[in-house]
Amino acid sequence: MRELADWNGVPWPQLGLVTTAEQYVHAVRTFSAARVAGERDLSGVGPFLDELRHRGVAFDRKELSSRFAWDLRLRPDLADLWPLPEGLIFTLAKTPPFGGPDSEPEDDCTEEELDRMVSVLGPLTMNVSWNCRWRGLPEFKDCGVQLCLNSVWAEQYAEPAPGEFEVWVSLGSRVASTPAGDAWLRDSGLTLGEAQAGW
């Protein structure tokens, strides 16, 4: 891939939400803290928060009216609370090695940092995309590579799929279905599957 493109930096990967008890158990072994956020008025959220308080979970609170975002220490005894109520999110995105409280999604990371992130994933979902200029194409808008770990690419978005690992190549919508795009794919030597909308 390096020989085929000029890369525009190494972006910061996006870590998916913790949505299953299996992911939570893995997170407890690998991470020390997480963030839980949502809207207090949604069905099931209030009782869930009450149960966390009942179990003595300590929060670092940030609240705006009915919306909240609380940082909490991870504990093995909370795994039985899964699945979470709809509308409640549980994320490790601002937890090392996936950055800290001041990290921004547009920050770049090094290859070494990316390797460290991948090494702690387990069943967690991560997606990262690299924008690039494919050598030999007349147009470079929307060109790039999307890496999906524990997820698959559906039309325009990635969806969780534990144990699935996929790489998507985008030639950009203006070039993908043209003779130039077809020639580039043929000459690249890449073995690719079916085309998908969005990538």
Side-chain angles (χ1 to χ4, degrees):
M1 298 292 273
R2 291 182 190 208
E3 297 173 2
L4 297 173
D6 298 317
W7 302 96
N8 299 335
V10 180
W12 198 263
Q14 300 301 301
L15 185 64
L17 301 177
V18 176
T19 57
T20 68
E22 176 194 22
Q23 289 175 322
Y24 180 79
V25 168
H26 174 78
V28 169
R29 290 195 303 260
T30 311
F31 300 89
S32 61
R35 174 167 287 187
V36 60
E39 291 194 37
R40 199 180 316 277
D41 300 337
L42 292 176
S43 175
V45 171
F48 177 83
L49 297 177
D50 290 341
E51 181 61 24
L52 289 180
R53 283 190 205 92
H54 175 72
R55 295 186 187 198
V57 175
F59 298 103
D60 175 16
R61 301 181 182 209
K62 296 176 184 175
E63 300 185 35
L64 296 171
S65 63
S66 66
R67 295 192 58 78
F68 66 91
W70 295 350
D71 294 325
L72 66 133
R73 306 296 297 171
L74 298 183
R75 299 178 358 197
D77 64 316
L78 302 179
D80 65 318
L81 296 175
W82 299 85
L84 297 179
E86 190 171 334
L88 198 65
I89 64 168
F90 193 94
T91 179
L92 301 158
K94 300 287 181 106
T95 304
F98 293 93
D102 299 322
S103 298
E104 295 295 334
E106 61 271 11
D107 290 345
D108 286 348
C109 72
T110 65
E111 286 189 41
E112 291 78 18
E113 287 173 320
L114 180 60
D115 287 344
R116 196 161 61 248
M117 294 175 197
V118 171
S119 72
V120 300
L121 280 179
L124 300 172
T125 299
M126 185 176 78
N127 298 296
V128 56
S129 56
W130 292 265
N131 295 324
C132 68
R133 296 171 57 85
W134 294 117
R135 296 177 187 147
L137 286 183
E139 171 101 27
F140 302 102
K141 183 176 181 183
D142 299 327
C143 287
V145 173
Q146 175 89 15
L147 171 65
C148 299
L149 299 175
N150 289 311
S151 64
V152 295
W153 190 258
E155 189 170 334
Q156 301 291 342
Y157 64 92
E159 59 186 29
E164 297 276 345
F165 303 90
E166 296 186 342
V167 177
W168 296 92
V169 174
S170 174
L171 302 186
S173 57
R174 296 180 186 175
V175 176
S177 299
T178 67
D182 293 339
W184 187 92
L185 288 172
R186 183 184 63 248
D187 297 341
S188 71
L190 297 173
T191 302
L192 302 175
E194 292 296 314
Q196 284 265 7
W199 271 88

